[in-house]
Amino acid sequence: MFKAGLASCVLIIQAAFATLGTGNAIAGQVVLYSSNDVQTVSTVVEQFERQNPDVRVSVVRAGTGALMQRIKAEAANPLGDVFWSGGLSTMGAFADGFQPYHSPEEGAVAPRYRGPDGLWLGTNTHVSVLMANLRQVPDGAPPTRWAELADPRWKGKIAIPDPQFSSASYVALYGIRNLLGDDVYARIVRNAVIVGTTSAAYQGVANGEFAAAVTMEYAAYQYVAGGLKEIKVVYPAEGTFLSPEGMALIKGAKHPAEARRLYDFLASRSAQAMIFERAFRRPLRADIDVAALSGLPALAGIKVIDLDDNRMEADRAQFLVQWRQLVSSN
């Protein structure tokens, strides 16, 4: 994701940059940079424009890393207004590109998920899980612990997305190594089939190509909610890891008033509940009970192992060097 060229990875859903490039502000317009999937973005934009008929939203979609680099490159002439959403650790590394703002909605989000001086606001969190296909797992028994994946019986049966391209996979693997130590972590990686994208992992399990995958809660649960009875979502007994995501206003944005309206909408209880009900992205707002809206457990019922976001971001480059060495020696 971080290596992809901007020209190849950016998908412009609605483009208005010929006019924006002149530097002239356009009333009633807001430009959203988003790393979320097309369906989620389209749903949110449609609902926002319905409630705000005087504002038109233009969208640029790309990976978080590509969008961060774009915001940095456009600092002298920003073409975007709002960024939504990326990992908080990654956003922290690009904080210079954001505009402080205290939304009236921020009180529903715990302080640990808010940026300093209102530089960003947490919106949702991914939960690292194991996704298992009960028809493919050895002896019909899904793994219950991360450490089980080091057993030789899982050789070639586990899918792990490449953490060079998947931030969520990086969080999970970083957490597993910290939790279990280098030896067990290395055995898990050597047992795994490394896939290039997060979707290749969870789709592979759903299609029966793999018995299990390290993936995100929302991705696995969509198959359970869709009635695929052979799919099981496992919260490993040792504990699991969170990948909180957030949004920010872009510094120097040309449409600040409209940007704040979109930001407040994205932070609102109604919008985040709608996103969860349609895409199962777990909101960070404390006033949304996901257990009442789905078959997922409340966050308080999941054993979570805290990771230091700043340390994790600082360790990323060295971790990935070691990752490449480990995979190449496999």
Side-chain angles (χ1 to χ4, degrees):
M1 176 170 61
F2 286 87
K3 292 184 176 180
L6 296 183
S8 62
C9 68
V10 174
L11 171 62
I12 301 179
I13 298 177
Q14 298 176 349
F17 291 108
T19 307
L20 285 173
T22 65
N24 297 323
I26 301 175
Q29 180 170 332
V30 60
V31 180
L32 174 65
Y33 283 5
S34 183
S35 59
N36 284 306
D37 63 273
V38 173
Q39 183 177 357
T40 299
V41 173
S42 298
T43 298
V44 165
V45 168
E46 179 182 349
Q47 188 64 25
F48 174 78
E49 290 184 337
R50 184 178 294 122
Q51 296 181 19
N52 298 268
D54 58 323
V55 180
R56 180 166 60 90
V57 181
S58 296
V59 180
V60 173
R61 276 198 68 257
T64 297
L67 290 173
M68 293 294 99
Q69 293 294 344
R70 185 179 183 120
I71 291 169
K72 184 177 180 180
E74 295 171 350
N77 181 33
L79 300 180
D81 298 303
V82 179
F83 168 75
W84 174 65
S85 62
L88 298 188
S89 59
T90 301
M91 293 180 69
F94 290 87
D96 289 346
F98 303 142
Q99 179 70 39
Y101 175 57
H102 290 285
S103 169
E105 302 287 347
E106 71 178 14
V109 177
R112 64 177 297 188
Y113 302 122
R114 303 181 214 162
D117 302 319
L119 280 177
W120 61 79
L121 181 64
T123 52
N124 63 283
T125 187
H126 296 305
V127 181
S128 299
V129 299
L130 287 169
M131 176 182 176
N133 187 317
L134 300 179
R135 293 181 178 175
Q136 302 298 327
V137 293
D139 304 319
T144 60
R145 308 176 68 89
W146 296 116
E148 285 183 47
L149 302 182
D151 190 295
R153 73 192 188 115
W154 290 99
K155 179 71 174 179
K157 296 181 172 63
I158 315 158
I160 295 180
D162 194 326
Q164 297 179 105
F165 310 113
S166 168
S167 293
S169 186
Y170 170 65
V171 171
L173 292 170
Y174 183 90
I176 290 170
R177 190 181 72 173
N178 283 4
L179 177 66
L180 302 179
D182 288 340
D183 180 62
V184 176
Y185 161 75
R187 284 190 282 139
I188 291 173
V189 173
R190 291 191 179 107
N191 274 347
V193 176
I194 310 304
V195 295
T197 64
T198 303
S199 60
Y202 62 75
Q203 289 173 1
V205 175
N207 294 335
E209 299 171 37
F210 306 110
V214 176
T215 189
M216 296 172 287
E217 176 188 56
Y218 88 90
Y221 184 71
Q222 64 182 331
Y223 294 99
V224 176
L228 211 57
K229 297 185 184 303
E230 61 265 35
I231 299 302
K232 182 176 179 62
V233 181
V234 178
Y235 301 88
E238 303 103 325
T240 191
F241 320 101
L242 302 183
S243 301
E245 294 186 333
M247 63 180 174
L249 297 181
I250 298 171
K251 184 184 292 184
K254 294 182 173 65
H255 313 99
E258 292 87 351
R260 289 191 294 271
R261 285 167 67 181
L262 178 58
Y263 188 100
D264 291 343
F265 172 80
L266 292 170
S268 69
R269 187 177 188 276
S270 60
Q272 292 198 17
M274 174 185 67
I275 293 168
F276 177 76
E277 289 177 313
R278 299 192 183 190
F280 307 114
R281 292 182 180 247
R282 186 182 286 268
L284 284 171
R285 286 188 65 110
D287 57 358
I288 299 176
D289 182 2
V290 301
L293 300 174
S294 70
L296 291 175
L299 194 58
I302 300 172
K303 184 178 179 181
V304 173
I305 299 171
D306 288 332
L307 299 174
D308 184 325
D309 286 342
N310 293 329
R311 177 68 182 274
M312 185 164 51
E313 188 62 27
D315 289 347
R316 183 188 292 268
Q318 183 60 31
F319 181 96
L320 293 178
V321 168
Q322 295 171 346
W323 163 264
R324 287 189 289 270
Q325 292 172 345
L326 178 60
V327 171
S328 64
S329 67
N330 198 352

